Structures are given as structure tokens and as C-alpha cells.
Amino acid sequence: MLDGILIGLGTAMSPMNLVFVVIGCFVGTFIGMLPGLGPMSAIALMIPIASTLDPSAGIILMAAVYYGAIFGGSTSSILINAPGVASTVATSFDGYPMAQQGMAGKALAIAAYSSFSGGVIAAIFLLIAAPFLASVSLSFQSTDYFALMVLGLTAVAAFASRGDVLKALLMTVVGLMLSTVGTDQTQGVPRFTLGILDLTDGISFLLLVMATFALSEALIAILKPDNDSKRQEEKEASSHLGSMAISKEEVKEMVPVIGRSSVLGFLIGVLPGAGATIASFLAYGTEQRIAGAEKGKLFGKGSVRGLAAPETANNAAATGSFVPLLTLGIPGSGTTAIMLGALVGYGIQPGPRLYVDNPEVFWSVIVSMWIGNIILLVLNLPLIPYIARILAVPSRFLLPFILFFSLIGVYFVSFNTFDIQLMVLFGAIALLLRFLDFPMAPMILGFILGGMMEENLRRALLINDDSWAFLWERPLTLTILLIAGACLLVPMLSPLFGKMRKSLSGQSSTED
């Protein structure tokens, strides 16, 4: 290992490779800030440039763009509630309320520190545990992945306010239904497309998330009658834009959250196909349950824990996704799938022998992650006061910009006017549902996990001759499902237990 670290340091610390790390971090951060793009688009744009470089430099550049985009993706989520990247959807739950409360600078600073900590801690894990975790991830089968998706869906209880668990579950089902629209991946036939040719490829995630978050948020702001109070809020927010100070109490609150979320995010990232999105949602739900009744009420209203957890987890998972890529040749996400193609294009076969046959590639990527996370922090912290000034723009200018950017961002992905029409429709429906207090996050989670859940369930049934016995015959699958059941039932039954405690305490007081 020591020899490998020295090889990695020698390769990553060469002047040209350091320049590529800086360029990758800057480009990735900038692209991550723009709703409508993301790490996959950024890496795809980098392939023509990377192909002209040697393998180590090319992979270092693309890796820097990847975690730079994840790092910068929180900015649009926090400032304008427009998460263009799936892994930053959970960041908007508490980051955007903090910005509305005049704490945009602090929210961006918390996101920056959390992202940096998650990336660095996960890089250490990657260095130490990559070979071991590769063998563990090989033991996961389709049945276990299906159970993991179910566990991810139980996080809906964390997004629901008290008494609204049923609404959250209903929205999750809606998300699962929307994920089935398009072409059946197994049989290759269109389903639920209503005969519309444009729906054969399914509904775009970007379209759905921009409609339900950015577009509906802008429409709500336009329809709100309290313009005077809105202007007052803008003035108050403007006066606090430069404040990035984090108190000692907030630091004490963040440290254990960062530790737990780094471990959780890295382990989820190691699993092929899981990725940063599931990690961020699971970390958010886990922290809300750990927080307790009093602190848990702050989630969704500007909680420090609610912002630190997903930001730490998604960066840790982005690093963890390199474990299956480098050690097994299995892409852990769509972005690492593009990087897999780039490695194969270099004539390098990722797998168990990569760190033996091409140690300079394996170790330089890991070492460059430490360097890259430091560069990201140095680049982003000084820019936070300037980035946060987006909130100082009056709403009469900012809202049309958000509407324009949302529509153009979706159009530039597909160059199809049908997507614009569908986005407006979803935005109108989301506006109605938000007025009825239906949460949007469970629907997005159901949509994201729906495809993977269906694919793994079909594979599990095929392996087990269409028998559902795999749910209880495989110990790992059963354990994950039991944890998922507990996570779902505890929030639903806790009000009942509370009433029972009150009645018992009332009886004891009357007896006294």
C-alpha cells in the first residue's frame, strides 16, 4: 500500500496533472451549479479532451470534474431550489429554507465543509478498504439490491410531517408509476405511453425535478399575494448574504453527522448501481430519526443536520463509486459508466488486477481525490459571498430567470418541444399538489428508485423461478427488509405510543 501511495503521489503531484485537477474541479463546480447539466454531461464533454492525454491524466481530469460537479451541485439547490442533479435534491430540503431565512452564506459554507469532509473521509476509506469492499460488493445479489431499494423507499417517512405519512406514501407510489412510463427494458415494448411517440424513452428525471421544484416554486412565488412581505424577506436576506460564520454549537452538531453520513455514503457508493442519490436520501432520513422529536421537527425548515447529512453522503458516495469501477470493472453510477468507457478506450481493463497492472492509474486517482477536495474548498469558500448574491436580485428579475433557465435547461437536453409542454403540465400539477400539502420529495425518490427496483426484482424472480421465497430465504435480504419495515413502522406508530404514554401517566397521576 505504501508503495502504491508513493506511486500515486508521484503521478498526481506532477505539475501537469495538478493543473488538470484544478481545471477539472473548476469546470465541474461551474457545471454542477447549472440546473440542467450535471456530472454525466460534464464528463461526456471532457472525453474528447481526455482522449488526447495519457490514461492517468485523463482519468484524473474526469474524476476531478465528477466530484467537482457533485460539490457544486448544491449551489442551485440552496439558492433557487433548482436541483439539476439527482444527488442534490435532498440538499434543497433544508438548504433552500436556510437561504430564505437570510442564511444563504452559512448554508453554502455548511455544504462546502460537509462536501469536503465527506470526500476526504471517503478517499481514506477508498485507500484502505478498496480490495476488501470489492469482495463484499460481489456478495450482493439482485435480491439484496431489491431489498436495498425498498429500504430507500422507506425514507419517505422522514419527508413527511406528523400525520402526513399516508400522503408521502401516496406520492411515492405516484413516483413509482411515473418510472414505468416508456419502453419495457426486458421485452422492448412501449408501455403506458398513451400512444405518444415522445414518451417511448420515458420521462426525463431532469424534466420532472425541474417541474416539481424550480418551476412550481417560481409559480408559487408569483401567485403569492404578500408581495410586500416578500420584498421585505429579500431585503433581510440581502443583508446577511456574506455571513458564513458557523457557531461552535453548529460545529458540534455537524461533526457526528458528517462522521455517520460519510460511512453510510461510502458504503452505499460501493454498491454498484446504488449511487450518490440513494446515499443522500438515506443519510437525510437516518439523521432525522436519530435527531429525536424536538430536533427532528426542524428538518425541512433549515436544519443544520438536514443540510450536512445529504451533502456529506453524496460526496462520500461519489468517491465510493470508484471502488466497483476500479476493482471490479463495474460502474457504480451512470457517471462512472462513462468513465469505464474512457478506461476501455485507453486499452485499460478495470478489475481486480488494475492496481497490479496499472498502479499509476489506480493510485493516482485516489491521491488526486485528496488534492481535489482541498482545491474545491479553496476555490469555493472565497466565492460564497459572491455566489450567494443571487438572492439579492429582486424577485421580479429572479423569477423570470428561473422560469427561463428551467425551460431552456430541459430543452437543451433533448431539443424536443414536447418536453417543454410536459414540464409545464407537471409544474401545474405539482403546484396544485403543493397547495394541498403533498410532499414532492417522496415522488422524486420513487421515480429515481423505480427503474432499478423493477430491474432487480425481475432478475431476482428469474433466478428463483418466479418464486417470492427469496424475500425470507436469503438472510441478507431478510435483514435489510426487516430494517426497512422498522424504519417505516416506527414513525407511523410513534403517535400511538405517545398517546398510550400520556394515558398511562394520566392514570398514575389520578391514582396518586
Side-chain angles (χ1 to χ4, degrees), residues 21-306:
V21 172
V22 173
I23 292 172
C25 289
F26 183 80
V27 171
T29 303
F30 180 74
I31 291 177
M33 290 178 183
L34 301 176
L37 297 175
M40 287 186 69
S41 303
I43 295 248
L45 291 171
M46 287 295 109
I47 285 180
I49 300 171
S51 62
T52 63
L53 307 173
D54 65 84
S56 298
I59 298 302
I60 284 173
L61 174 64
M62 289 191 285
V65 170
Y66 180 24
Y67 48 77
I70 298 292
F71 195 103
S74 59
T75 303
S76 58
S77 296
I78 291 171
L79 294 183
I80 59 175
N81 199 26
V85 183
S87 58
T88 60
V89 171
T91 302
S92 66
F93 298 161
D94 285 280
Y96 184 63
M98 286 183 74
Q100 287 181 310
Q101 295 164 21
M103 297 186 291
K106 177 179 283 191
L108 290 169
I110 290 172
Y113 289 128
S114 301
S115 300
F116 169 76
S117 303
V120 169
I121 293 171
I124 295 171
F125 290 157
L126 178 61
L127 175 68
I128 298 171
F132 169 73
L133 289 172
S135 61
V136 172
S137 63
L138 278 175
S139 66
F140 263 69
Q141 297 181 5
S142 300
T143 57
D144 306 316
Y145 281 114
F146 170 73
L148 190 66
M149 303 300 129
V150 174
L151 177 60
L153 290 176
T154 58
V156 297
F159 310 132
S161 56
R162 193 166 184 174
D164 285 342
V165 177
L166 190 60
K167 282 184 177 179
L169 291 172
L170 183 61
M171 293 303 292
T172 306
V173 173
V174 171
L176 290 170
M177 292 168 65
L178 290 174
S179 71
T180 62
V181 175
T183 303
D184 189 310
Q185 296 299 317
T186 304
Q187 299 179 356
V189 295
R191 58 182 183 182
F192 311 121
T193 59
L194 304 176
I196 301 173
L197 187 63
D198 292 300
L199 287 176
T200 52
D201 288 333
I203 299 169
S204 164
F205 160 77
L206 179 66
L207 182 155
L208 187 63
V209 77
M210 294 297 279
T212 53
F213 283 89
L215 191 59
S216 65
E217 185 68 38
L219 292 174
I220 285 175
I222 291 168
L223 295 174
K224 274 183 180 176
D226 53 341
N227 291 326
D228 293 335
S229 62
K230 178 66 177 176
R231 280 195 290 270
Q232 184 63 31
E233 286 178 9
E234 288 172 359
K235 290 179 182 178
E236 292 176 3
S238 301
S239 63
H240 293 85
L241 289 180
S243 175
M244 297 187 296
I246 302 175
S247 65
K248 290 182 180 179
E249 290 74 17
E250 289 169 335
V251 171
K252 288 180 181 178
E253 195 173 6
M254 285 170 58
V255 168
V257 173
I258 287 173
R260 289 190 294 264
S261 300
S262 296
V263 175
L264 176 63
F266 181 73
L267 292 176
I268 295 297
V270 166
L271 302 175
T277 305
I278 298 175
S280 63
F281 278 102
L282 281 179
Y284 186 89
T286 301
E287 287 304 322
Q288 185 169 13
R289 295 188 184 94
I290 292 174
E294 186 176 345
K295 296 262 187 185
K297 290 178 183 177
L298 298 176
F299 277 65
K301 300 175 183 177
S303 168
V304 173
R305 292 188 181 194

Side-chain angles (χ1 to χ4, degrees), residues 2-22:
L2 183 59
D3 292 339
I5 294 173
L6 292 174
I7 292 172
L9 280 170
T11 307
M13 293 294 287
S14 68
M16 282 307 298
N17 284 345
L18 283 175
V19 170
F20 291 136
V21 172
V22 173

Side-chain angles (χ1 to χ4, degrees), residues 267-349:
L267 292 176
I268 295 297
V270 166
L271 302 175
T277 305
I278 298 175
S280 63
F281 278 102
L282 281 179
Y284 186 89
T286 301
E287 287 304 322
Q288 185 169 13
R289 295 188 184 94
I290 292 174
E294 186 176 345
K295 296 262 187 185
K297 290 178 183 177
L298 298 176
F299 277 65
K301 300 175 183 177
S303 168
V304 173
R305 292 188 181 194
L307 176 57
E311 270 303 290
T312 304
N314 62 25
N315 279 268
T319 303
S321 65
F322 280 85
V323 172
L325 173 68
L326 297 175
T327 60
L328 300 176
I330 301 171
S333 62
T335 310
T336 50
I338 298 175
M339 295 183 70
L340 174 64
L343 280 169
V344 173
Y346 283 125
I348 297 172
Q349 181 57 52

